[in-house]
Amino acid sequence: MTKKVRDYDKLAAQILQELGGEKNIISAARCATRLRLVTQNQPADAKQKISALAGVITVVEKGGQLQIVIGTHVDKVYDAFLKLVNIEGAAPSEQKMSVLNRIIATMSAVFAPFVYILAAAGILQGILILTCLAYPSFNTTTTYQVLSFMSWTPFHFLPILIAITASKHFKCNLYIALVCCAALVSPDWGAIASSIKSGENLYFLGIPLSETVYSSSVLPPLFLVWLLSYLERFLEPRINSVIKPLFLPLICMLIMIPLTIVFIGPISSHAASFIADSYNGLVALSAPLAGSVIGGVWEVFVIFGVHWGITPVVMANFQMYGHDSFQAFQTISVIGQVGAALGFYLKSKNHEMKGISLSAFITGIFGITEPAIYGVNLRFKKPFIYGCICGLIGGLVSGFFDPFYFAYAGLPGPLTIVNGISAEYPSSIVGIVIGSIIALIGPIVLTQFFGTGEKALTNDTVDEQPKIMFESVQIKSPMIGEVFPLSAVPDPVFAEKMMGDGVAIEPSDNHVYAPFDGEIKVLFDKSRHAVGLVSPQGVELLIHVGIDTVKLTEPYFSYHVSLNQNVKQGDLLMSFDMEKIKASGCPLITPVIITNSADYQYIDPIDQGLVTTQNTILIIKQ
């Protein structure tokens, strides 16, 4: 629900009650819009009950946290919540998270930053497949060879990409991690492994070497960097500071690279291969059964964030066999949720929700289903169920055609269906297309017959103050940079306008300026990552610099204003360290949100591309 709330103590007490009381709360934190809680045992219906509370926009479970989206009044609810519980309010430490949640958080932190690189390479491979079908002689040209090795480059050097993101996640030296993981894909090691594979017995310090190669591998570099982080922390205080810059990387290389190629690599590669073989065994036993399971429940895995965990299995299949059926069934599951969002759009009479569902459908075409899931399908439950049912049926039917993907898809979805084309397996693409049509059309039909799950709108919203009438208000850009629609923000709460309408800005400058004359109403003492203003007409604006930047505890941000200060358009509000934020792995794209959007009939984004503080980015009309 999106009712306005002013009884913060009551809302905090209600949330605590639904979560089982004070003894069940491990930690509490907040960002600009969300109350972030970790509980020992979450009651089964707590998420649904909290979502229904007045003042709660939605509830998202992510990385072991229950994230309660409240809006710019979250600070009041957070303060009231802390009065009810005896905790320090710190974000949960890794030790307080379950093993499963730590694995999920690790996989997400490692793969999310470069998933779009893999997706782009996968699309290029799909284009090459289509081009060769239309012009068979094209694959004999040098142009094809250049484009082909380009498309495979991110996968071949995947250990290096993992070194970059994993070193940030595990907090170890980036350059040591890079050189250790680069050694795994060295041509010299490839030559040694090839000699072993041909029957030659080779040894390192008397220990037999394995023929394992590490291009496109996932687990070996991941374990390497994880153990490297412990080794670094052990060595740091024990090496003299004078020789540390030289001897720390030397010792790490001498230990980690041989340890990986002798023990870690072969063991972890065999583990991934075992899991992949187990899945392939299920496919061999009954492909329709495997297809129905993956088609029906894959998007449930996405909700809980465990979908990254399948990457090693998929990569192992491509490495061992040159094709993979999991992504074929995964595509059908994705299309089921895309079809559900489209069905909602066609059936709904709510103008705002039609816009959200259409945006989610368009995003889903590119294989990104989080906006559809969080913004529409799960929110009203029925569309999500329709998508799962039709994904199950589509996966079941496609299983009779032995579907495979012959090129890795970073983001499986409608655009990657062409990855299932192969002259050697002509039935593969037929099965994928039939399954995808079922998954797309089925939810539309079910929505028409059984409804969207929307409830009748009520008029019980409480307005605290009389509205100031005006014809229009122009919002200037608070930053120098490039304007994007909110759908470009990699966070479903902002992307699907749950917090309100607005735009996003990718900054090219490290300052935030007042977009209108007004009063500072929201500041954050610790993180200083966002600022909220109110205009004389009552327009409430939130400027949230970057995504997930609330977790940055170092002084990445600086305020130049104080709470309740009056400012003029163009006044400097805050500044930030762009390089440090980028190095932390947080996207810098900045949502600029009208948090009381429901008060206005029209909020029109002005499409201007590159903007300065003199450009208008939003026009608000009553």
Side-chain angles (χ1 to χ4, degrees):
M1 299 177 66
T2 57
K3 299 176 184 178
K4 291 184 180 178
V5 60
R6 293 297 181 266
D7 194 342
Y8 307 112
D9 293 333
K10 179 181 178 181
L11 178 57
Q14 289 174 325
I15 292 172
L16 183 61
Q17 180 182 355
E18 298 300 345
L19 289 176
E22 176 186 356
K23 292 183 178 180
N24 198 36
I25 306 298
I26 294 176
S27 66
R30 72 172 179 92
C31 61
T33 59
R34 311 175 199 195
L35 182 63
R36 298 167 178 255
L37 305 177
V38 176
T39 61
Q40 296 188 40
N41 299 292
Q42 183 178 310
D45 56 351
K47 183 177 177 180
Q48 291 74 21
K49 288 183 177 180
I50 294 173
S51 297
L53 294 176
V56 174
I57 298 172
T58 188
V59 178
V60 177
E61 290 183 273
K62 185 177 180 182
Q65 288 185 336
L66 191 70
Q67 299 182 6
I68 304 171
V69 184
I70 293 171
T72 53
H73 303 298
V74 68
D75 57 329
K76 306 294 192 305
V77 180
Y78 173 71
D79 291 341
F81 191 86
L82 289 186
K83 294 177 183 177
L84 303 175
V85 294
N86 185 26
I87 56 176
E88 296 181 359
S93 68
E94 229 179 49
Q95 287 71 24
K96 292 179 180 178
M97 298 173 67
S98 69
V99 174
L100 177 60
N101 281 331
R102 288 169 65 182
I103 293 173
I104 292 169
T106 297
M107 288 295 186
S108 178
V110 170
F111 291 105
F114 58 76
V115 67
Y116 289 100
I117 303 298
L118 300 184
I123 291 174
L124 178 56
Q125 291 177 13
I127 293 172
L128 291 176
I129 291 172
L130 291 176
T131 305
C132 289
L133 284 176
Y135 306 99
S137 61
F138 180 66
N139 62 4
T140 63
T141 66
T142 306
T143 300
Y144 170 83
Q145 293 174 355
V146 171
L147 293 174
S148 180
F149 87 70
M150 284 169 51
S151 72
W152 283 106
T153 296
F155 305 106
H156 183 82
F157 294 104
L158 190 58
I160 294 178
L161 294 175
I162 290 174
I164 297 171
T165 54
S167 64
K168 293 178 181 177
H169 180 70
F170 295 123
K171 297 180 174 60
C172 62
N173 187 288
L174 168 63
Y175 301 102
I176 298 176
L178 273 173
V179 74
C180 289
C181 289
L184 301 183
V185 292
S186 167
D188 291 334
W189 171 251
I192 293 173
S194 179
S195 298
I196 298 172
K197 189 174 184 179
S198 65
E200 190 174 352
N201 295 321
L202 300 177
Y203 301 87
F204 178 80
L205 298 179
I207 304 172
L209 294 173
S210 167
E211 64 185 45
T212 306
V213 292
Y214 301 102
S215 59
S216 303
S217 65
V218 171
L219 293 183
L222 191 57
F223 280 117
L224 185 158
V225 179
W226 176 52
L227 293 177
L228 174 64
S229 67
Y230 287 98
L231 178 61
E232 277 191 22
R233 285 193 285 273
F234 174 80
L235 293 174
E236 276 278 355
R238 292 171 171 81
I239 301 178
N240 186 280
S241 59
V242 176
I243 61 173
K244 186 184 297 183
L246 175 62
F247 279 87
L248 180 63
L250 174 62
I251 296 173
C252 288
M253 289 171 60
L254 286 174
I255 293 176
M256 291 311 308
I257 297 174
L259 184 64
T260 301
I261 62 176
V262 173
F263 295 110
I264 299 173
I267 293 172
S268 57
S269 291
H270 288 316
S273 298
F274 174 77
I275 298 172
D277 286 338
S278 300
Y279 162 73
N280 294 330
L282 174 62
V283 175
L285 177 66
S286 175
L289 174 61
S292 63
V293 171
I294 297 167
V297 305
W298 175 251
E299 292 299 319
V300 178
F301 293 154
V302 173
I303 295 172
F304 293 105
V306 302
H307 52 303
W308 296 109
I310 199 63
T311 302
V313 175
V314 173
M315 297 305 296
N317 269 339
F318 278 107
Q319 198 169 23
M320 291 186 296
Y321 309 112
H323 57 71
D324 168 69
S325 63
F326 195 99
Q327 287 206 315
F329 297 133
Q330 183 183 351
T331 294
I332 293 170
S333 181
V334 167
I335 292 176
Q337 296 303 317
V338 173
L342 179 59
F344 188 99
Y345 168 75
L346 296 174
K347 180 71 172 179
S348 177
K349 303 298 183 183
N350 185 310
H351 178 74
E352 180 181 359
M353 286 309 305
K354 283 179 76 73
I356 292 174
S357 57
L358 180 60
S359 173
F361 165 71
I362 294 172
T363 307
I365 292 175
F366 295 91
I368 305 169
T369 53
E370 282 84 352
I373 291 173
Y374 294 121
V376 181
N377 299 352
L378 265 185
R379 185 173 177 181
F380 298 101
K381 298 180 179 64
K382 282 187 176 182
F384 184 77
I385 295 173
Y386 300 154
C388 290
I389 291 173
C390 297
L392 184 151
I393 298 172
L396 174 70
V397 173
S398 70
F400 290 103
F401 295 86
D402 294 325
F404 295 104
Y405 262 28
F406 301 93
Y408 180 85
L411 295 171
L415 294 183
T416 65
I417 289 176
V418 296
N419 290 17
I421 297 175
S422 171
E424 188 177 350
Y425 297 87
S427 66
S428 172
I429 187 63
V430 176
I432 296 173
V433 169
I434 293 175
S436 298
I437 291 174
I438 293 172
L440 180 66
I441 302 300
I444 298 175
V445 175
L446 291 176
T447 304
Q448 294 301 316
F449 280 99
F450 300 106
T452 62
E454 294 173 286
K455 296 180 180 179
L457 297 176
T458 59
N459 294 318
D460 50 3
T461 298
V462 179
D463 284 324
E464 220 178 41
Q465 300 175 348
K467 295 179 182 177
I468 298 176
M469 300 305 295
F470 59 86
E471 183 177 348
S472 68
V473 171
Q474 293 189 6
I475 309 296
K476 300 292 185 180
S477 175
M479 309 173 97
I480 299 171
E482 185 173 1
V483 174
F484 291 92
L486 279 180
S487 58
V489 177
D491 185 309
V493 173
F494 290 117
E496 291 309 314
K497 303 181 182 180
M498 296 181 194
M499 286 299 309
D501 208 343
V503 296
I505 300 175
E506 185 70 36
S508 57
D509 178 69
N510 67 330
H511 295 104
V512 178
Y513 302 91
F516 49 64
D517 296 348
E519 184 179 358
I520 303 297
K521 285 296 185 182
V522 179
L523 294 176
F524 297 85
D525 292 337
K526 292 183 179 180
S527 61
R528 305 192 173 197
H529 68 295
V531 59
L533 307 87
V534 177
S535 76
Q537 299 87 356
V539 176
E540 299 175 7
L541 186 80
L542 174 69
I543 305 166
H544 189 291
V545 180
I547 302 301
D548 283 339
T549 44
V550 67
K551 68 184 182 183
L552 303 180
T553 55
E554 297 181 23
Y556 292 81
F557 302 91
S558 300
Y559 282 140
H560 301 283
V561 291
S562 56
L563 200 62
N564 300 321
Q565 177 180 333
N566 290 316
V567 294
K568 295 290 186 181
Q569 192 269 320
D571 286 353
L572 180 62
L573 304 182
M574 59 185 293
S575 53
F576 51 92
D577 192 318
M578 298 178 69
E579 297 306 318
K580 281 189 177 181
I581 296 173
K582 289 178 181 177
S584 74
C586 294
L588 259 177
I589 191 167
T590 298
V592 180
I593 305 293
I594 307 298
T595 56
N596 59 337
S597 296
D599 293 347
Y600 309 111
Q601 283 189 320
Y602 300 103
I603 300 177
D604 297 329
I606 306 300
D607 186 12
Q608 291 195 15
L610 297 176
V611 295
T612 69
T613 56
Q614 300 305 310
N615 295 115
T616 299
I617 58 172
L618 292 167
I619 294 179
I620 302 174
K621 300 178 182 178
Q622 282 188 326

